[in-house]
Amino acid sequence: MKEKEKCDLLNGLKQKTADENNIDFHIEKCTFEGECLGTCPKCEAELEYLENELIKKHESGEKINIKNIFTLKENDNYT
């Protein structure tokens, strides 16, 4: 993957996961310069927040929806 493609893909997956599970989640534009490894502090903090929200939903008895998450279209852009 080139430059920000990996970051864009991961951001799309995080946003779609949040959307499918009715979690208030907004990705801020990444300002990282250089080759993205997908593990910058901003990305890690967003992922940790999303994981914690999913855990809360699960622990409260709500179903977690992962259906349709891995069907990103080429024109989906969450950054």
Side-chain angles (χ1 to χ4, degrees), residues 3-40:
E3 305 266 327
K4 299 285 186 181
E5 289 176 351
K6 186 177 201 177
C7 186
D8 290 343
L9 175 65
L10 294 172
N11 283 339
L13 290 171
K14 289 184 286 191
Q15 188 65 59
K16 196 155 189 182
T17 300
D19 293 346
E20 289 289 327
N21 289 284
N22 298 316
I23 295 172
D24 185 30
F25 184 75
H26 304 284
I27 294 174
E28 294 184 23
K29 183 155 178 70
C30 183
T31 58
F32 180 79
E33 295 293 328
E35 186 176 343
C36 179
L37 301 175
T39 58
C40 72

Side-chain angles (χ1 to χ4, degrees), residues 33-70:
E33 295 293 328
E35 186 176 343
C36 179
L37 301 175
T39 58
C40 72
K42 179 190 118 7
C43 289
E44 288 297 317
E46 290 172 349
L47 183 58
E48 183 177 348
Y49 169 79
L50 184 56
E51 287 175 338
N52 287 334
E53 292 301 305
L54 289 167
I55 289 168
K56 285 182 207 174
K57 283 187 166 284
H58 177 70
E59 288 176 347
S60 71
E62 292 183 56
K63 290 185 179 183
I64 303 300
N65 184 10
I66 58 169
K67 183 180 174 184
N68 302 322
I69 291 173
F70 297 102

